[in-house]
């Protein structure tokens, strides 16, 4: 009742009705009136009283107002009044002048109680979702505000009701597309409350195209120059993406990262940053960090980092980083953002190493940032951000670690002193008078040595000139000297963390540390003393450093062997006391804070004690050092023997693995060579086949030309038919003429012989007449004359027959001569008329001769090409034969290598049996032995690192 009196005021002097009575009458009027106007007036009156008499209206009128929402859907005005009244009752966003300082808790309880009453019936929330779908401004806007208030009061319960409601989330997504900015902006606020800590709703909202709509709104509002609407959209995007791997992957796959680049185009004129712009840009940077957070799955983070590099987002962030006039908080957040964008991504780390500050002469961005880190005048949060950036640059970046350490080595230091290197800045910060600079430089240098034994050995070569005239001392010696001088706790903690990181997994560094006779007495003296609570942390780190000196001791120094150091601890400190001091580290509150996340975040410089990576080292070494302290000398000897044996076996296994790896590599190379030669062979065979087909084509063309030439010859013969008569050609006519001349000569010769015979006959006749007159005088020679006469008669008869035969032959020849003369006389006019035809034929014959010559030359060229192709085919055949021989040799080598691998596998099996027997013996002796899975995972990790280095090279 006191509360009611305080809310409603003191009692009035007149008989005026109280607020509760008035509200009761109005509720009765809403419940019983049949006229819509009366009910509307009553609801309007309840709305006006709802802020002042919130409790009474909520208790008495809520049920009636819900009934109005159910029954009077047709009148938008009464629905709007009812929704406003319910909002005033449920919401805790009261006006400042109406809030009382002594009642904030009661107000919160009222809103939560009324919300619980409203959502007790799930139909009420479903009804409200239906009303939000109405386009009428007087219904939709108060509905959105009421639903937002319900989510603020009872978020998880209302989220569950909306989630199970059909199309519940989709209805609310339509608010982002409303053309009225008031409803759209309140819709963004509603979705902020709806998506808080509910991954299922976040996924639904994301897949309802929320990213596209929100990015469009941000662009329309002017990106970072926009107002509070941009801030609300960025907060909603953070709700959707933070710790939601599915939405992050959807955001990346949808190419929305590329749309973030224009957010950071702040321009050259950076003066006049408004508070809203600073807030917007801060949220934008945080949104980038959500996508590349170290707590995300490594694969998702890596893909987002690569996308940011390829779209130019990282380059834009580096531009802001090196710009002037940027507010300090934006610069700090930008450094943190760049840190996580490059963390563990070699491509981004290489780009960041190449970024130069716009100075004269240009300096690397890393050097400029380190100058800020070791400058005690810079803000604390900025120095922490630079340290985080440097740590992220060196994370899994052996190339970057080597570049930083190389700036400390004597061979690479700039003798002219014109430029300041990163190593010089770290050394300057390490030995400055500012304890925070000492701590930051020590942690930064420890990260340059993280998991890199080679650089730990190289850093032992660093020599420092402490003062003029004094010989230089090593960096390790200078660190121990400063440690022994009793500086501030923060400085000593930083140096001890550096030394512990440096000496772990590096026996050579341990030997150098033990070589200084003052180091071990200093550590034992620090651990043995009973100091205050602030010094307990230093004692624990000294115990850790001494334990590392024992555990990684290779017994190369006779005076500081493992056994002697253990005896020293037992005599001067005590084993239990040593273990207790060692446990101070992990029990410290600041240790627990640093172990949570990689980013160094401290409330004040005094709390800056531990580094995240160092907490991992402590967790790894604390147990093994405790066991090493309690081991006896015999156990140490056995363990050393076993370690040596294991190392030998590991070396053998590593050697054989290397051999197998080399053989595999050779096999791969030979396979690639075989594939190359096979492909070349196939190409040559294809070339030969192609050339053979070309030869065949040339042959076909040649045959075709021959056929065409034959046709042309026949055509020429058809033209020369005019030179033939009765089957006799001109040449035959000339031959016949020659024969005719010969027969004529023979005929004349025979005529001459015939005349001679006639003269002989005449002579014989005259001789006969002379013989008849002288018969008497020559009777004595009569018998002889008769005989001679008979012979002459025979000879005459022979001559006559011969003459007759010759006469017949001559007549025959004369007939043939006559025929030939007739033929000649008939052929002469034809030959005379065909003169023009003979001229044309001579031209045609010349063209045919030219074509024949060309064909002959082409045939000759084809024959030469055929010969060259035959030669090429012969060479290809010889190449194929050589390839076949090489293939057989390679197959033989593959068989031999497989046989060698089988032998190696048998040998490895024997080695594994020996290793298992040795491990059983070690376990019997109580020595912790790593399982084979751990060893294999370690080997696999080494191989992966080798593969990464090869890819980087």
């Amino acid at each position: 009742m006191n509360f009611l009196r305080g809310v409603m005021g003191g009692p009035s002097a007149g008989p005026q009705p109280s607020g509760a009575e008035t509200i009761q009458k109005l509720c009765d009027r809403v419940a019983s009136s049949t006229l819509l106007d009366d009910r509307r007036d009553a609801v309007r009156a309840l709305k006006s009283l709802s802020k002042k008499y919130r409790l009474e209206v909520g208790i008495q009128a809520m049920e009636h107002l819900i009934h109005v929402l159910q029954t009077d859907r047709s009148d938008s005005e009464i629905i709007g009044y009812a929704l406003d009244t319910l909002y005033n009752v449920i919401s805790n966003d009261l006006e400042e002048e109406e809030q009382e300082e002594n009642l904030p808790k009661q107000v919160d309880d009222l809103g939560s109680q009324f919300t619980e009453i409203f959502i007790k019936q799930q139909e009420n929330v479903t009804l409200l979702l239906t009303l939000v779908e109405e386009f009428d401004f007087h219904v939709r806007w108060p509905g959105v505000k009421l639903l937002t208030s319900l989510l603020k009061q009872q978020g998880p319960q209302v989220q569950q009701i909306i989630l199970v409601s059909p199309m519940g989330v989709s209805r609310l997504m339509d608010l982002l597309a409303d053309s009225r900015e008031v409803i759209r902006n309140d819709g963004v606020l509603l979705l902020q409350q709806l998506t808080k800590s509910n991954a299922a709703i976040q996924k639904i909202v994301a897949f309802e195209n929320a990213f596209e709509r929100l990015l469009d709104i941000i662009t329309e509002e002017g990106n970072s120059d926009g107002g509070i609407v941009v801030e609300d959209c960025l907060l909603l995007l953070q709700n959707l993406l933070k710790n939601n791997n599915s939405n992050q992957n959807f955001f990346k796959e949808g190419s929305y990262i590329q749309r973030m680049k224009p957010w950071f185009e702040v321009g050259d004129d950076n003066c006049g940053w408004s508070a809203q712009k600073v807030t917007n840009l801060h949220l934008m940077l945080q949104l980038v960090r959500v996508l590349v957070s170290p707590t995300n799955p490594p694969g998702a983070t890596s893909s987002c980092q690569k996308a940011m590099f390829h779209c130019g987002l990282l380059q834009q962030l580096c531009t802001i980083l090196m710009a002037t006039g940027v507010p300090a908080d934006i610069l700090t957040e930008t450094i943190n953002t760049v840190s996580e964008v490059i963390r563990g991504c070699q491509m981004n780390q290489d780009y960041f190493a190449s970024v130069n500050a716009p100075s004269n002469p240009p300096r690397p961005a890393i050097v400029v940032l380190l100058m800020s880190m070791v400058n005690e005048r810079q803000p604390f949060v900025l120095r922490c951000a630079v340290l985080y950036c440097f740590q992220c640059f060196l994370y899994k970046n052996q190339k970057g670690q080597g570049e930083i350490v190389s700036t400390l080595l004597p061979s690479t230091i700039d003798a002219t002193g014109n430029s300041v290197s990163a190593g010089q800045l770290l050394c300057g910060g390490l030995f400055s008078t500012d304890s925070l600079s000492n701590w930051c430089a020590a942690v930064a240098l420890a990260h340059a040595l993280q998991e890199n034994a080679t650089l730990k050995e190289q850093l032992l070569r660093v020599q420092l000139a402490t003062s003029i005239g004094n010989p230089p001392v090593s960096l390790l010696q200078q660190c121990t000297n400063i440690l022994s001088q009793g500086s501030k706790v923060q400085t000593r903690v930083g140096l001890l963390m550096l030394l512990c990181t440096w000496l772990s997994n590096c026996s050579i560094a341990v030997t150098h540390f033990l070589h200084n006779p003052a180091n071990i007495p200093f550590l034992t003296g620090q651990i043995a003393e009973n100091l205050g609570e602030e010094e307990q942390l230093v004692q624990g780190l000294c115990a850790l450093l001494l334990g590392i000196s024992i555990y990684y001791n290779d017994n190369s120094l006779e005076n500081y062997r493992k056994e002697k150091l253990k005896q020293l601890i037992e005599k001067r400190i005590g084993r239990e006391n040593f273990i207790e001091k060692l446990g101070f580290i992990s029990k410290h509150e600041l240790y627990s804070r640093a172990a949570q996340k990689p980013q160094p975040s401290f409330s004040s410089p005094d709390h800056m004690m531990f580094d995240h990576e160092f907490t991992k080292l402590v967790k790894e070494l604390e147990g093994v050092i405790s066991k090493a302290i309690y081991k006896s000398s015999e156990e140490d000897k056995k363990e050393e023997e076993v370690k040596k044996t294991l190392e030998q076996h590991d070396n053998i296994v590593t050697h054989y693995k290397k051999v197998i790896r080399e053989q595999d590599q050779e096999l791969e190379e030979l396979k690639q060579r075989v594939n190359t030669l096979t492909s070349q062979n196939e190409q040559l065979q294809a070339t030969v086949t192609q050339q053979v087909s070309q030869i065949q084509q040339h042959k076909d063309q040649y045959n075709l030309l021959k056929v065409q030439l034959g046709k042309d010859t026949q055509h020429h013969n058809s033209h020369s038919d005019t030179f033939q008569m009765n089957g006799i050609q001109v040449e035959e006519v000339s031959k016949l003429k020659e024969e005719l001349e010969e027969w004529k000569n023979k005929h004349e010769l025979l005529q001459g012989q015939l005349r001679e015979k006639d003269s002989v006959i005449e002579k014989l006749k005259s001789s006969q007449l002379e013989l008849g007159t002288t018969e008497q005088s020559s009777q004595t020679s009569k018998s002889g004359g008769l005989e001679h006469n008979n012979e002459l008669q025979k000879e005459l008869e022979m001559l006559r027959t011969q003459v007759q035969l010759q006469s017949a032959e001559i007549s025959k020849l004369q007939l043939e001569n006559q025929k030939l003369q007739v033929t000649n006389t008939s052929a002469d006019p034809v030959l005379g008329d065909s003169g023009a035809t003979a001229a044309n034929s001579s031209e045609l014959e010349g063209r045919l001769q030219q074509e024949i010559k060309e064909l002959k030359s082409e045939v000759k060229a084809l024959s030469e090409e055929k010969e060259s192709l035959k030669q090429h085919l012969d060479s290809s055949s010889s190449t194929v034969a050589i390839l076949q021989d090489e293939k057989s040799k390679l197959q033989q080598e593959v068989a031999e290598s497989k046989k060698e691998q089988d032998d190696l596998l048998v040998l490895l099996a024997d080695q594994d049996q020996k290793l298992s027997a040795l491990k059983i013996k070690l376990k019997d002796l109580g020595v912790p032995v790593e399982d084979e899975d751990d060893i294999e995972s370690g080997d696999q990790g080494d191989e992966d690192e080798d593969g990464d280095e090869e890819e980087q090279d």
Side-chain angles (χ1 to χ4, degrees):
M1 294 301 294
N2 291 331
F3 171 71
L4 293 177
R5 289 194 189 95
V7 173
M8 294 185 294
S12 59
Q16 295 179 355
S18 63
E21 293 174 351
T22 304
I23 293 169
Q24 181 63 43
K25 290 179 181 180
L26 292 173
C27 290
D28 293 340
R29 187 177 173 187
V30 171
S32 60
S33 180
T34 57
L35 295 176
L36 180 60
D37 293 339
D38 292 343
R39 294 198 301 275
R40 185 189 303 120
D41 294 337
V43 174
R44 185 190 297 114
L46 286 172
K47 175 189 172 183
S48 63
L49 294 172
S50 60
K51 289 185 178 180
K52 187 175 182 180
Y53 302 103
R54 180 182 177 190
L55 179 62
E56 289 78 2
V57 173
I59 293 174
Q60 300 182 33
M62 181 174 289
E63 185 177 353
H64 300 293
L65 294 172
I66 293 173
H67 183 70
V68 167
L69 296 178
Q70 294 171 347
T71 57
D72 292 331
R73 295 274 305 274
S74 59
D75 185 34
S76 61
E77 192 173 357
I78 191 172
I79 294 294
Y81 291 148
L83 291 172
D84 283 334
T85 306
L86 287 172
Y87 172 75
N88 292 337
V89 170
I90 291 174
S91 175
N92 290 328
D93 299 334
L94 300 177
E95 297 294 334
E96 293 182 1
E97 61 269 13
E98 296 180 2
Q99 291 183 357
E100 297 185 15
E101 295 181 359
N102 57 344
L103 297 177
K105 191 172 182 180
Q106 289 180 328
V107 169
D108 292 340
D109 292 341
L110 276 179
S112 178
Q113 291 171 5
F114 286 136
T115 301
E116 191 173 352
I117 294 171
F118 184 84
I119 66 174
K120 194 171 185 180
Q121 298 293 328
Q122 295 187 6
E123 296 81 5
N124 295 339
V125 180
T126 306
L127 174 63
L128 188 55
L129 290 173
T130 306
L131 293 173
V132 168
E133 282 188 296
E134 295 289 338
F135 186 74
D136 194 325
F137 181 81
H138 298 288
V139 176
R140 197 171 204 181
W141 187 39
V144 170
K145 293 195 297 181
L146 177 58
L147 191 55
T148 305
S149 182
L150 292 174
L151 286 165
K152 286 181 180 179
Q153 301 295 337
Q154 296 288 339
Q157 292 86 344
V158 179
Q159 285 175 343
Q160 192 61 31
I161 296 171
I162 294 174
L163 191 60
V164 300
S165 177
M167 299 294 291
V169 179
S170 299
R171 295 175 186 177
L172 300 178
M173 285 300 300
D174 293 337
L175 297 172
L176 295 180
D178 200 307
S179 59
R180 295 161 293 193
E181 290 189 2
V182 176
I183 295 179
R184 184 199 68 183
N185 298 343
D186 282 350
V188 173
L189 297 175
L190 170 60
L191 291 173
Q192 279 184 27
Q193 299 298 326
L194 181 65
T195 55
K196 276 185 178 179
S197 305
N198 193 309
I201 294 178
Q202 290 169 1
K203 291 179 183 179
I204 296 172
V205 171
F207 282 96
E208 287 287 344
N209 207 22
F211 293 140
E212 184 75 28
R213 296 182 183 181
L214 291 173
L215 291 174
D216 288 341
I217 294 172
I218 293 173
T219 304
E220 291 172 3
E221 295 292 327
N223 293 329
S224 60
D225 293 324
I228 195 171
V229 179
V230 174
E231 179 183 349
D232 294 336
C233 291
L234 292 171
L235 290 172
L236 177 54
L237 285 172
Q238 282 193 19
N239 285 352
L240 296 175
L241 293 173
K242 195 169 186 178
N243 299 324
N244 193 318
N245 300 329
S246 174
N247 283 0
Q248 290 175 6
N249 186 56
F250 180 69
F251 191 84
K252 178 183 70 68
E253 296 296 334
S255 300
Y256 296 120
I257 291 178
Q258 287 80 345
R259 296 187 61 179
M260 298 170 70
K261 182 187 175 184
W263 295 355
F264 305 102
E265 294 176 355
V266 295
D268 296 331
D269 187 13
N270 294 327
C271 58
W273 290 66
S274 64
Q276 188 61 54
K277 181 175 181 178
V278 171
T279 303
N280 292 343
L281 202 55
H282 199 273
L283 290 173
M284 290 171 178
L285 293 169
Q286 287 182 349
L287 191 62
V288 175
R289 294 184 64 186
V290 166
L291 296 172
V292 293
S293 174
T295 58
N296 294 342
T301 301
S302 177
S303 59
C304 289
Q305 287 172 334
K306 292 177 182 177
M308 290 176 183
F309 174 78
H310 290 302
C311 75
L313 181 58
L314 174 60
Q315 292 83 334
Q316 199 65 44
L317 291 174
C318 291
T319 302
I320 297 176
L321 195 66
M322 295 292 104
T324 56
V326 180
D329 51 348
I330 293 297
L331 181 60
T332 302
E333 191 64 24
T334 304
I335 295 173
N336 289 327
T337 306
V338 170
S339 305
E340 295 183 353
V341 172
I342 68 174
R343 187 176 190 268
C345 182
Q346 187 65 49
M347 177 173 57
N348 293 0
Q349 289 168 338
D350 291 342
Y351 170 77
F352 184 70
S354 66
V355 175
N356 287 324
S359 60
N360 191 14
R363 290 177 176 174
I366 298 174
V367 173
V368 176
L369 291 176
L370 288 177
M371 292 172 68
S372 301
M373 185 185 74
V374 297
N375 187 354
E376 55 184 315
R377 291 191 296 271
Q378 294 292 338
F380 172 67
V381 291
L382 179 63
R383 300 174 73 180
C384 291
V386 172
L387 176 62
Y388 183 48
C389 184
F390 191 73
Q391 292 174 352
C392 292
F393 170 69
L394 298 178
Y395 182 71
K396 293 183 178 180
N397 183 12
Q398 292 190 351
K399 179 182 176 183
Q401 289 176 326
E403 291 174 353
I404 296 299
V405 173
S406 65
T407 59
L408 288 165
L409 299 179
S411 59
T412 57
I413 294 177
D414 187 6
T416 60
N418 293 331
S419 61
V420 180
S421 65
Q424 292 172 345
L425 288 172
L426 291 177
C427 284
L430 194 62
F431 307 125
S432 71
T433 56
D434 179 27
S435 61
L436 186 58
S437 297
N438 301 153
W439 191 91
C440 291
V443 171
L445 197 55
H447 276 262
L449 304 175
Q450 200 78 36
E451 298 178 358
N452 198 325
T454 304
L455 295 181
K456 292 178 182 179
E457 296 178 7
Q458 289 185 3
L459 200 64
L460 297 171
R461 298 164 44 202
V462 177
Q463 300 290 323
L464 301 175
T466 56
S467 59
I468 299 175
N470 293 330
V473 296
S474 66
L475 177 62
L476 183 65
Q477 180 64 42
Q478 185 65 14
C479 290
T480 56
N481 291 341
I482 295 176
L483 193 62
S484 61
Q485 291 173 2
S487 53
K488 293 182 180 179
V489 174
Q490 192 175 40
T491 301
R492 284 182 287 164
V493 169
L495 290 173
L496 286 169
M497 286 195 298
L498 172 60
L499 291 174
C500 290
T501 305
W502 194 347
L503 269 60
S504 62
N505 290 304
C506 186
S507 299
I508 298 177
V510 172
T511 303
H512 278 71
F513 179 77
L514 296 176
H515 193 71
N516 187 352
N519 289 338
I520 295 300
F522 169 74
L523 293 179
T524 54
Q526 287 286 319
I527 300 169
E529 290 182 8
N530 292 322
L531 303 174
E533 186 176 353
E534 294 182 355
E535 295 292 333
Q536 287 182 352
L537 187 56
V538 177
Q539 287 183 319
L541 291 172
C542 289
L544 179 65
L545 182 58
L546 183 56
I548 291 173
S549 301
I550 295 173
Y551 186 72
Y552 292 105
N553 191 348
D554 58 358
N555 293 327
S556 59
L557 296 177
E558 184 64 29
N559 294 331
Y560 296 102
R561 298 175 62 84
K562 285 185 178 181
E563 186 60 30
K564 291 186 177 181
L565 291 176
K566 290 180 185 179
Q567 293 175 1
L568 184 65
I569 289 175
E570 188 171 0
K571 290 179 181 178
R572 296 192 178 182
I573 303 171
R575 293 180 179 178
E576 292 77 9
N577 190 21
F578 179 85
I579 300 300
E580 182 183 359
K581 298 293 178 66
L582 184 63
F584 285 165
I585 302 174
S586 57
K587 293 177 183 178
H588 203 281
E589 180 184 1
L590 298 177
Y591 175 89
S592 303
R593 291 182 185 177
Q596 293 176 359
K597 57 181 180 179
Q599 182 181 0
S601 57
F602 306 99
S603 57
S604 66
D606 296 336
H607 293 165
M608 205 171 192
M609 289 294 177
F610 285 107
D611 174 57
H612 177 75
E613 293 296 328
F614 181 74
T615 59
K616 294 181 181 179
L617 182 66
V618 172
K619 188 176 180 180
E620 176 186 349
L621 295 179
E622 186 176 6
V624 295
I625 290 175
S626 300
K627 291 179 182 179
I629 295 298
Y630 282 102
K631 285 180 183 177
S632 62
S633 59
E634 295 179 356
E635 291 177 348
D636 284 338
K637 291 179 180 179
K638 291 181 180 179
E639 184 178 355
E640 287 179 3
E641 292 177 358
V642 172
K643 279 185 177 181
K644 289 181 180 179
T645 307
L646 288 174
E647 287 178 359
Q648 291 176 357
H649 289 300
D650 289 340
N651 292 334
I652 293 172
V653 172
T654 304
H655 174 69
Y656 283 129
K657 283 183 178 180
K658 184 178 180 181
V659 171
I660 293 172
R661 195 179 297 114
E662 290 176 353
Q663 290 179 348
D664 288 338
Q665 187 175 0
E666 291 177 359
L667 282 175
E668 289 296 328
E669 292 177 355
L670 292 174
K671 286 180 181 179
Q672 292 178 0
R673 187 177 177 187
V674 169
N675 293 333
T676 304
L677 294 174
T678 305
S679 62
Q680 290 179 357
N681 185 19
E682 292 175 354
Q683 291 176 0
L684 292 174
Q685 288 179 352
T687 305
V688 170
T689 305
Q690 184 180 3
Q691 291 175 350
V692 169
S693 64
Q694 290 178 356
I695 291 172
Q696 187 63 36
Q697 290 177 2
H698 289 312
K699 284 182 179 180
D700 296 340
Q701 292 177 1
Y702 176 67
N703 294 329
L704 183 62
L705 290 172
K706 285 178 69 177
V707 172
Q708 290 178 355
L709 181 60
K711 290 182 180 180
D712 293 338
T713 305
Q714 291 179 1
H715 182 67
H716 175 69
N717 291 335
S718 66
H719 282 289
S720 64
D721 286 342
T722 56
F723 297 98
Q724 300 176 355
M725 274 76 66
N726 297 326
I728 300 174
Q729 295 183 359
V730 178
E731 295 177 355
E732 294 179 355
V733 172
S734 61
K735 289 180 180 179
L736 289 173
K737 286 183 178 181
E738 292 176 356
E739 290 179 358
L740 183 59
E741 292 293 332
E742 291 178 357
W743 284 113
K744 284 180 178 181
N745 295 329
K746 288 181 179 179
H747 179 66
E748 291 176 355
L749 181 62
L750 290 174
Q751 288 290 340
Q753 291 178 357
L754 183 59
R755 284 191 295 269
E756 289 178 356
K757 295 294 183 181
D758 288 337
S759 63
V760 172
I761 291 170
E762 290 295 331
K763 289 178 179 179
L764 289 173
K765 284 180 177 181
S766 63
S767 66
Q768 285 180 358
L769 289 175
E770 291 176 358
L771 286 174
T773 58
T774 61
E775 286 180 355
Q776 292 177 357
S777 62
S778 60
Q779 287 183 356
T780 56
S781 58
K782 185 176 181 180
S783 57
L786 290 171
E787 291 177 359
H788 181 70
N789 190 18
N790 289 334
E791 291 178 357
L792 291 173
Q793 287 293 331
K794 289 180 181 179
E795 186 177 359
L796 181 62
E797 288 296 329
M798 290 174 64
L799 289 171
R800 285 178 178 174
T801 55
Q802 187 175 2
V803 168
Q804 289 176 358
L805 290 173
Q806 290 179 351
S807 298
E809 190 173 356
I810 287 168
S811 62
K812 184 179 179 180
L813 290 171
Q814 287 176 351
L815 290 173
E816 289 179 359
N817 189 12
Q818 290 176 358
K819 290 179 181 180
L820 288 173
Q821 288 177 355
V822 172
T823 303
N824 288 331
T825 55
S826 62
D828 287 338
V830 176
L831 291 170
D833 294 337
S834 61
T837 307
N840 293 331
S841 298
S842 63
E843 292 178 2
L844 180 60
E845 185 177 358
R847 287 199 301 270
L848 289 173
Q849 290 294 332
Q850 184 67 26
E851 289 180 0
I852 288 169
K853 289 181 181 179
E854 291 176 359
L855 288 173
K856 285 182 179 180
S857 62
E858 187 173 357
V859 168
K860 185 177 180 181
L862 288 173
S863 62
E864 291 176 355
E865 186 175 0
K866 181 179 178 182
E867 290 298 326
S868 65
L869 289 174
K870 283 183 179 180
Q871 293 177 0
H872 194 245
L873 180 61
D874 294 336
S875 64
S876 300
S877 301
S878 62
T879 304
V880 170
I882 293 170
L883 291 176
Q884 291 294 336
D885 293 337
E886 289 184 359
K887 182 179 179 182
S888 61
K889 290 180 182 179
L890 292 175
Q891 288 177 349
Q892 186 177 0
E893 290 178 0
V894 169
E896 291 176 358
S897 63
K898 285 184 178 179
K899 184 177 179 182
E900 290 179 359
Q901 286 184 359
D902 293 336
D903 296 337
L904 292 175
L905 290 173
V906 172
L907 183 58
L908 287 173
D910 295 337
Q911 296 294 336
D912 289 336
Q913 290 180 358
K914 293 180 181 180
L915 285 172
S916 61
L918 291 171
K919 288 176 181 177
I920 292 171
K921 290 181 181 180
L922 285 173
K923 289 181 179 179
D924 295 337
L925 294 172
V927 178
V929 181
E930 294 181 347
D931 294 332
E932 293 181 358
D933 296 336
D934 298 333
I935 297 173
E936 291 177 359
S937 64
D939 292 339
Q940 185 65 31
D942 294 339
E943 293 177 3
D944 293 341
E945 290 179 359
D946 295 339
D948 294 338
E949 290 177 359
E950 292 175 0
E951 293 177 359
Q952 292 168 9
D953 295 336

